[in-house]
Amino acid sequence: MKKAAVIFTTYNNASSAEACLESCMRQKYAGLHIVIGDDGSTDDTVARLKGKLSACPYPVSLLELPHGERGIARVKAVEAAEQAGSEYILVIDSDMIMDDHLVQSVIEYFEAHPEVGALVIPEEAYTDADNFISRVKVFERNVINNGGEILGKRSIEAARFWRMEAYRSTGGFKAQQISFEEIQPTLRYVERGGIIRRATFASVYHDEKKVLLRELLRKKAYYFSVMDRTLRSESGGFRKALERWYLFRPVLYTRSNMKRYVRHPLLAAGMFFMYGCLSFVGAAALLRSYIGREGYQRKRNGKPDVE
């Protein structure tokens, strides 16, 4: 039986991480290995995860790392999966829950489709919160994941389930990339002619929790402020980001999603309003980052900031 690893990273999110680990433990695949990269949690996340391990039917590698960034934790976790001899890796977030047969069904798909190097696993978003922006966020996530099996050229979805050799061929995650890092291996693989599909037979459940617009904008402003690290480290990074900017995504305009907008006009209006706000925040953050970088280069070159 081929070995597969489920990988997730954590940081101060004990309850979500516990639920994620429990869904890993319920998988029906004998060759499974679970790898958890804790990014220096200061709460009881690690202790609560350790409390679950005695009941786990699969081997678990729990990496207790110093706090850095999610990309670093992911790189370390993938390295641990490689060292364990994993031939497949599934990279999820710690607030995701898997169907019990997800790993088994995906590996069966890979065996039947040797030409496919990786799969996007669609997210079924949900929330217990009833405020408007939370419901908009769930609506938006489910719209994005409603794209069929073929991955479009301007898709923003990251492949999560990889053949290990296909993942290695992309160069993998880059530790120095902080924002929008998880989609980069997908983009590199597709650009090289690799085949990635969207799994129409499996999904993960993603708890969006309670979303407030000001908190969402604050969080995204940070990611946009460090986005240039990712763009500068990727060939054609700015072009690829612009092609996938919010309102440029073809999946938004498919017939099935248009029908969703008609059925839920308020949520659709809220989604496009949210995209407008995020576009403004993103453009402002990228401009500040660019101006700051230009000023730094001027100082290094001995030139005044204003001529």
Side-chain angles (χ1 to χ4, degrees), residues 3-7 31-35 81 86-91 161:
K3 294 182 179 180
V6 177
I7 296 168
L32 188 65
H33 186 106
I34 302 169
V35 183
S86 301
E87 298 169 82
Y88 298 97
I89 54 171
L90 168 59
V91 183
F161 216 129

Side-chain angles (χ1 to χ4, degrees), residues 140-160:
E140 181 259 353
R141 178 49 51 185
N142 289 331
V143 163
I144 292 297
N145 281 276
N146 183 35
E149 183 183 14
I150 303 300
L151 205 66
K153 291 184 178 180
R154 283 186 279 165
S155 171
I156 63 160
E157 295 167 89
R160 292 191 177 276

